[in-house]
Amino acid sequence: MSKTWRPATQLVHGGTLRSQYGETSEAIYLTQGFVYETSEAAEARFKGETEGFIYARYGSPTNDMFEKRMCMLEGAEDARATASGMAAVTAAILCQLKSGDHIVAARALFGSCRWVVETLAPKYGIDCTLIDGRDLANWEKAITAKTKVFFLESPTNPTLEVIDIAGVAKLANQIGAKVVVDNVFATPLFQKPLELGAHIVVYSATKHIDGQGRCLGGVVLSDKEWIDENLHDYFRHTGPAMSPFNAWTLLKGIETLPLRVRQQTENAAKIADFLAEQGKVAKVIYPGRKDHPQADIIAKQMTGGSTLVAFEMKGGKDAAFALQNALEIIKISNNLGDSKSLITHPATTTHKNLTEEARVELGISPGTVRLSAGIEDTDDLIEDFAKALAKVSA
């Protein structure tokens, strides 16, 4: 496969492994294990002296194709596909830490991601400091002699804050720490954390990569040395492996990723501009708008906006609920990155387990709403919002 191929070509052809039958679509290898021609061949395989698959928990031909295709897109040397996005996040963080180590994490995280670093990790003696990640000075101040990992998502869920990945990576390199970036909201098409200096990238493939509401999946990407030394044994022995069927489904989804994300982003940008002009909307946050608080960083590290829009209704929770309930095309769901437009009230769903104080810190008010734009006709989506807003009490 040529390294000069552009993303749209990589995502159709990258990493393809055909059987002797020459199938056009990738084959699904639904098997738990593999057969060896001789006992000596099995021994050599387990010793790592010969290449090949051993057990589906470790890897399979279908999963391998998905991992290789993601590596081509991300510019990574190696990857491991996981059963879900949270399996990817948890593996990427815990596989490289031990009791006594310290994590510095941006406080603006998806609720489950925050639970992993704030609640789960301390159970194993791993300390965590949550900071406002927008200011590089906060990262520097939080460093201790035991800091091993910096963790962030950018843009953040749900308020679309943007963090200077290159700046954080520079600080991490000074102390020998690793930067883990959750890149879901930017997608691998609009942001390349590894090129910006990050060491590990994680995705919930459930989102844009599948993009059609069909299956769960995740992936961890990094250099081969880090995966061999940290993730390999953790992955083999704890079992967060992706199903080959899901890997096949994701391979089909990833083929159309550029087409879907292009339309979703165009829709999101136009809806953001429309909402910014509405009297019942207090504010709009969108990475493609000039009024975004981190517009200078966005221009430096992102090549596109986002498929997500965050906005705040003036009437708080009642107005947010009234708007969502009045929408016809746009559906209420906690998922995102789907070909269907989806809307979420974070304070009562994805971030409901945070304290009210924590939500206030993150800018998640009772009126905050998160839109994941789909691939529908732009005018239909804007008309849907216009009709719904008309039903919201002033």
Side-chain angles (χ1 to χ4, degrees):
M1 299 299 174
S2 174
K3 293 183 179 180
T4 63
W5 287 352
R6 293 168 179 82
T9 305
Q10 291 175 346
L11 296 181
V12 174
H13 297 286
T16 300
L17 174 66
R18 288 190 172 89
S19 74
Q20 69 271 32
Y21 300 111
E23 60 276 355
T24 301
S25 180
E26 298 81 4
I28 310 174
Y29 292 87
L30 288 177
T31 181
Q32 299 149 320
F34 301 85
V35 174
Y36 316 97
E37 292 189 4
T38 66
S39 298
E40 289 79 7
E43 181 183 32
R45 188 81 56 84
F46 272 78
K47 281 184 174 180
E49 295 173 352
T50 59
E51 292 186 358
F53 299 99
I54 294 174
Y55 192 56
R57 176 156 51 86
Y58 306 166
S60 78
T62 313
N63 292 41
D64 188 59
M65 284 188 277
F66 173 66
E67 291 165 354
K68 282 184 168 58
R69 198 167 291 183
M70 284 299 302
C71 283
M72 288 185 71
L73 178 61
E74 195 66 40
E77 291 180 356
D78 206 357
R80 292 292 183 272
T82 61
S84 69
M86 283 314 306
V89 169
T90 305
I93 292 172
L94 294 186
C95 77
Q96 59 181 317
L97 296 174
K98 64 182 184 304
S99 179
D101 287 344
H102 177 238
I103 305 167
V104 180
R107 67 190 184 192
L109 296 170
F110 172 56
S112 293
C113 291
R114 184 156 166 163
W115 182 87
V116 168
V117 297
E118 189 177 28
T119 303
L120 180 63
K123 291 183 179 181
Y124 298 97
I126 302 165
D127 293 327
C128 175
T129 301
L130 291 171
I131 61 165
D132 182 344
R134 294 170 294 181
D135 188 344
L136 286 176
N138 293 334
W139 293 93
E140 189 168 15
K141 290 175 186 176
I143 292 171
T144 74
K146 296 183 177 181
T147 302
K148 302 297 181 185
V149 168
F150 287 173
F151 177 51
L152 62 98
E153 57 186 51
S154 182
T156 62
N157 184 359
T159 53
L160 298 168
E161 295 175 2
V162 173
I163 294 171
D164 185 347
I165 296 173
V168 173
K170 183 177 179 180
L171 289 172
N173 288 335
Q174 291 172 1
I175 62 168
K178 298 295 184 182
V179 177
V180 180
V181 176
D182 182 337
N183 201 44
V184 167
F185 272 38
T187 80
L189 297 173
F190 291 157
Q191 186 168 264
K192 304 286 190 184
L194 297 179
E195 293 180 4
L196 294 166
H199 306 95
I200 301 104
V201 181
V202 295
Y203 287 99
S204 170
T206 311
K207 309 304 189 292
H208 302 90
I209 293 168
D210 172 40
Q212 290 156 86
R214 299 172 297 189
C215 69
L216 299 176
V219 62
V220 183
L221 304 106
S222 186
D223 61 82
K224 191 175 188 307
E225 181 181 2
W226 182 87
I227 286 183
D228 286 347
E229 293 183 358
N230 296 277
L231 183 59
H232 182 71
D233 285 342
Y234 176 99
F235 188 86
R236 287 181 61 153
H237 299 303
T238 62
M242 177 185 288
S243 158
F245 182 82
N246 285 20
W248 180 83
T249 305
L250 293 166
L251 279 166
K252 296 294 92 185
I254 204 172
E255 290 180 354
T256 61
L257 179 68
L259 302 175
R260 288 183 285 104
V261 168
R262 184 186 309 137
Q263 183 62 40
Q264 289 168 319
T265 303
E266 180 180 325
N267 283 346
K270 290 182 178 179
I271 292 169
D273 289 342
F274 168 79
L275 291 173
E277 298 174 353
Q278 306 308 305
K280 296 174 184 178
V281 176
K283 67 176 179 179
V284 173
I285 304 174
Y286 181 68
R289 286 178 57 86
K290 293 181 179 179
D291 58 0
H292 190 285
Q294 291 90 44
D296 56 335
I297 299 174
I298 292 167
K300 184 171 61 173
Q301 71 183 32
M302 295 179 68
T303 58
S306 178
T307 66
L308 285 299
V309 181
F311 61 98
E312 183 177 346
M313 295 295 293
K314 288 183 178 179
K317 177 182 173 181
D318 290 344
F321 273 30
L323 172 72
Q324 292 189 166
N325 292 342
L327 291 165
E328 181 180 354
I329 299 170
I330 301 163
K331 306 305 181 186
I332 300 170
S333 175
N334 54 292
N335 197 22
L336 61 93
D338 199 282
S339 57
K340 300 177 179 67
S341 292
L342 305 173
I343 199 160
T344 305
H345 185 252
T348 55
T349 58
T350 58
H351 291 71
K352 76 176 184 61
N353 289 331
L354 297 181
T355 64
E356 185 176 353
E357 180 183 9
R359 287 196 293 270
V360 170
E361 281 184 347
L362 298 177
I364 302 172
S365 74
T368 299
V369 178
R370 186 193 74 193
L371 170 73
S372 173
I375 62 172
E376 303 95 340
D377 184 277
T378 312
D379 291 338
D380 283 341
L381 294 176
I382 290 175
E383 288 174 11
D384 199 23
F385 265 113
K387 292 176 182 177
L389 283 166
K391 297 178 182 179
V392 177
S393 300

